[in-house]
Amino acid sequence: MPSSADVDNPWFRRYNPSDSAPARVVIFPHAGGSASYYLEYANALAPYADVLAVQYPGRQNRFMEPTISSIDGLAEELYRELRDWTDLPLTFFGHSMGAAVAFETARRFERAGLKGPVRLFVSAGRAPSLPRDTAVHKLPDDELMEEIVRLGGTDDRILAVPALQELVLPALRADYTAVETYRCAPDATVSVPITGLIGETDPNATVEQVGQWDRHTTGGYDQRIFPGGHFYLADRTAEVVRLLVDHLRG
């Protein structure tokens, strides 16, 4: 298992390393997102778990690396990397696109017969077998940026700075390509419990759409609904952290 001193793995940002923690939480970001977006979550969970915030290629410290434009491609890489981090019980938390990446990563652990996550938290992500009938990844650059800002996960000041747009657009387009070309069979399941987290006014992942995750687990499904939209978790950090801590303590 990599030690606290191992900071060379580009796939993870480990803001509060703890080899003595009783558990480990892996956070899978949303489309266009980065590990640093979840810094507040990593800090809040630090007393209870060692937190690995996933850093997808093509952004921040991985800006010079090629992006990966498929959910399966991301999941395959993360499965390979996470096999070295199973000394502690794993919990996966994925937001939006990250929910699908976390699910597919968990499936790879089970197919290999390896110890994977003990629970999967899927936040603002519709069930994987539901069809994607959008084509955001094909929009012109300016319309793509406007769509992302509309959802609330990107600072709208980026729209006014062309140089910043140039930095974020390749990763955004790759991520939306991954989401919108992802296909999952209706009978694909994991054996671990799944908890769905939903913003009650989210237009991209409604209560009904998230609720259909119950078809993709044989380990039981429950869900929590929070005030807010697609990025409800930005305003509900304390409540989401409390839910995760209750799970970790249980």
Side-chain angles (χ1 to χ4, degrees):
M1 196 288 275
S3 71
S4 292
D6 180 11
V7 294
D8 295 329
N9 190 326
W11 281 95
F12 308 117
R13 300 303 300 271
R14 202 173 176 213
Y15 295 110
N16 298 280
S18 176
D19 294 328
S20 60
R24 179 166 287 125
V25 174
V26 185
I27 300 177
F28 298 74
H30 54 282
S34 60
S36 63
Y37 186 90
Y38 298 89
L39 175 60
E40 187 175 358
Y41 276 82
N43 289 338
L45 290 168
Y48 311 98
D50 184 46
V51 180
L52 301 180
V54 170
Q55 188 79 297
Y56 305 130
R59 64 214 74 201
Q60 293 190 339
N61 60 308
R62 304 189 71 185
F63 171 70
M64 298 302 293
E65 297 181 44
T67 57
I68 297 176
S69 57
S70 75
I71 298 296
D72 285 330
L74 288 167
E76 188 64 31
E77 293 290 341
L78 282 160
Y79 160 67
R80 292 172 184 164
E81 298 296 335
L82 284 168
R83 287 182 300 186
D84 290 333
W85 295 88
T86 59
D87 58 310
L88 298 177
L90 294 175
T91 292
F92 286 1
F93 178 94
H95 183 71
S96 194
M97 179 186 81
V101 179
F103 174 68
E104 289 295 344
T105 304
R107 289 182 69 198
R108 281 158 172 76
F109 273 96
E110 293 196 356
R111 286 202 294 264
L114 299 178
K115 180 174 62 175
V118 299
R119 181 175 286 271
L120 179 60
F121 288 85
V122 294
S123 169
R126 62 178 66 182
S129 58
L130 293 180
R132 268 68 174 173
D133 54 2
T134 57
V136 173
H137 69 282
K138 295 182 179 180
L139 291 175
D141 289 350
D142 57 343
E143 293 181 32
L144 175 60
M145 286 301 307
E146 289 172 2
E147 173 66 15
I148 304 310
V149 171
R150 181 187 67 81
L151 287 175
T154 302
D155 192 330
D156 58 8
R157 288 173 295 184
I158 292 177
L159 288 176
V161 184
L164 290 178
Q165 291 188 43
E166 291 179 12
L167 290 176
V168 302
L169 274 168
L172 274 174
R173 198 173 295 283
D175 289 353
Y176 268 82
T177 300
V179 170
E180 294 177 331
T181 60
Y182 173 53
R183 298 293 180 267
C184 177
D187 59 352
T189 61
V190 291
S191 63
V192 298
I194 293 179
T195 297
L197 308 183
I198 308 161
E200 63 182 352
T201 59
D202 186 350
N204 282 37
T206 65
V207 173
E208 179 184 2
Q209 289 169 332
V210 178
Q212 292 188 50
W213 276 98
D214 66 351
R215 300 185 301 181
H216 294 282
T217 175
T218 60
Y221 175 80
D222 67 326
Q223 65 184 31
R224 301 288 187 276
I225 301 174
F226 299 89
H230 196 65
F231 284 93
Y232 73 89
L233 79 173
D235 298 319
R236 299 289 167 178
T237 303
E239 295 165 61
V240 177
V241 167
R242 190 178 308 120
L243 181 64
L244 289 167
V245 169
D246 287 345
H247 154 69
L248 294 168
R249 284 176 167 172

